[in-house]
Amino acid sequence: MKILAINLGKYNSVACQLDTSSNQPEYETIGTHRYYIEQLLTKTQPELVVMETCSITVWVHEFGVPCIGSQSQPGGVAVEERQTEDRRG
């Protein structure tokens, strides 16, 4: 399975690709902008994306890739949301 984890920053983000068959991570820094996120998704073709839940999560969902997101809550508890609807024609 190809998993893509994205650590979002205000201007730049770090992406980590992991193919579970080889367990070799690959890291890349990209701009935090819809254009760069879509380029990354096109290039990597992940089966699952893991990232914090925010407005950018919609970009991934609209691209048609299943996404697991977490959002920090007061007290340090994380709430997970899973979006799996495939919108690719």
Side-chain angles (χ1 to χ4, degrees):
M1 172 181 263
K2 289 180 170 182
I3 301 171
L4 178 65
I6 305 173
N7 183 7
L8 298 170
K10 186 172 184 176
Y11 301 106
N12 291 301
S13 299
V14 176
C16 176
Q17 298 179 68
L18 178 68
D19 187 334
T20 57
S21 62
S22 66
N23 283 330
Q24 294 295 318
E26 293 180 32
Y27 297 91
E28 181 177 352
T29 301
I30 61 169
T32 305
H33 187 276
R34 184 181 188 123
Y35 173 79
Y36 300 113
I37 300 286
E38 287 181 354
Q39 275 192 326
L40 179 67
L41 293 171
T42 299
K43 182 177 83 172
T44 60
Q45 295 292 303
E47 297 169 63
L48 179 67
V49 175
V50 179
M51 63 189 299
E52 71 182 284
T53 303
C54 61
S55 60
I56 294 174
T57 309
V58 174
W59 300 345
V60 175
H61 184 65
E62 288 175 350
F63 200 79
V65 179
C67 183
I68 294 178
S70 65
Q71 183 175 22
S72 296
Q73 300 295 315
V77 177
V79 176
E80 291 190 8
E81 297 178 12
R82 185 174 184 122
Q83 299 176 349
T84 58
E85 180 183 336
D86 190 347
R87 291 190 181 186
R88 290 177 279 192

